[in-house]
Amino acid sequence: AQSVTQLGSHVSVSEGALVLLRCNYSSSVPPYLFWYVQYPNQGLQLLLKYTSAATLVKGINGFEAEFKKSETSFHLTKPSAHMSDAAEYFCAVTRNTGFQKLVFGTGTRLLVSP
Amino acid sequence: DTGVSQDPRHKITKRGQNVTFRCDPISEHNRLYWYRQTLGQGPEFLTYFQNEAQLEKSRLLSDRFSAERPKGSFSTLEIQRTEQGDSAMYLCASSFLAGGLSDTQYFGPGTRLTVL
């Protein structure tokens, strides 16, 4: 079985500050990991993915995440927050072969203040 | 490549009515997924097609739910005798899997269902 835990349902930062959104996973098989972003009343947009190549993954809009097997973590970071980053962020895990349904965390809402 | 599209974007219905949603995947994507997202939660898997074959169904998918993907192109999700608990955002995603590589899913904008 696979699961994802996102610590903190809400994270508030000031514009220009570091963004850190936490994700810990559980998986009995080697995982693939994803971060998606969702703006209000919209679908999910892929930010980045880990598929067992480089452990530091760079995505769109300046986001990156590091896969740490020893810590079972895949935290999302961005050096400098923009107002436009305010949204809901979801971490998801799937297995690396066969049927690959995504198992999502409960999400973290990022609030960016001026 | 126009992305995944879903129709309608919003649906309001009365309890007991039937509703049908449509999803058009990215062309040539061979896998199609349906997820349901309730307020304040992450999406939950409902069902999955590879081409026209429905290969997996979640236990969340009660007998009132049925999904089809004729000819391996667009897909429909029907809910019969809707209940207030069916109110949610229904998301469709598609992907192309080849050579055992990662199955990156691209999501549509969703259909928000409200059951009164």
Side-chain angles (χ1 to χ4, degrees):
Chain A
Q2 297 179 303
S3 65
V4 165
T5 301
Q6 291 186 242
L7 296 177
S9 59
H10 292 79
V11 170
S12 295
V13 299
S14 299
E15 193 172 21
L18 171 71
V19 175
L20 170 62
L21 305 182
R22 300 178 186 275
C23 172
N24 288 87
Y25 71 91
S26 173
S27 179
S28 56
V29 297
Y32 285 166
L33 293 155
F34 301 79
W35 276 99
Y36 284 86
V37 61
Q38 185 176 37
Y39 297 97
N41 297 313
Q42 295 187 25
L44 282 74
Q45 180 183 5
L46 180 67
L47 276 178
L48 49 79
K49 62 182 181 182
Y50 165 77
T51 56
S52 72
T55 56
L56 181 62
V57 180
K58 295 186 182 300
I60 63 171
N61 300 339
F63 285 94
E64 64 181 38
E66 186 172 8
F67 173 71
K68 293 186 176 180
K69 184 177 179 180
S70 61
E71 298 178 7
T72 61
S73 68
F74 190 58
H75 302 330
L76 182 71
T77 61
K78 181 174 180 178
S80 177
H82 292 195
M83 296 295 291
S84 60
D85 294 327
E88 188 91 22
Y89 292 79
F90 292 96
C91 181
V93 63
T94 187
R95 58 187 186 187
N96 67 351
T97 185
F99 165 52
Q100 296 177 338
K101 74 174 184 181
L102 288 167
V103 176
F104 286 89
T106 52
T108 296
R109 181 165 297 279
L110 177 65
L111 306 169
V112 183
S113 57
Chain B
D1 185 351
T2 57
V4 179
S5 61
Q6 293 187 244
D7 183 70
R9 294 290 307 277
H10 303 273
K11 179 70 177 179
I12 300 174
T13 191
K14 294 181 179 179
R15 185 167 52 92
Q17 298 295 304
N18 299 342
V19 295
T20 300
F21 310 141
R22 177 180 170 124
C23 171
D24 286 274
I26 294 172
S27 60
E28 298 181 356
H29 274 193
N30 54 1
R31 288 187 164 187
L32 188 147
Y33 298 78
W34 285 98
Y35 292 84
R36 181 171 68 187
Q37 184 180 23
T38 53
L39 202 61
Q41 299 297 316
E44 294 176 291
F45 168 77
L46 290 179
T47 189
Y48 145 70
F49 292 84
Q50 180 148 327
N51 300 311
E52 66 276 8
Q54 188 175 18
L55 298 184
E56 189 79 17
K57 290 169 63 172
S58 164
R59 280 175 284 184
L60 292 175
L61 215 64
S62 75
D63 292 343
R64 298 184 296 105
F65 287 71
S66 62
E68 294 182 341
R69 192 185 182 197
K71 303 179 182 178
S73 56
F74 71 92
S75 175
T76 58
L77 177 68
E78 181 183 15
I79 309 174
Q80 296 182 325
R81 304 182 304 281
T82 53
E83 302 173 355
Q84 287 186 327
D86 297 332
S87 295
M89 174 81 89
Y90 290 83
L91 294 163
C92 176
S94 71
S95 68
F96 180 75
L97 185 68
L101 299 179
S102 68
D103 183 22
T104 300
Q105 296 176 36
Y106 296 91
F107 283 79
T111 294
R112 180 167 297 283
L113 173 65
T114 302
V115 182
L116 302 176

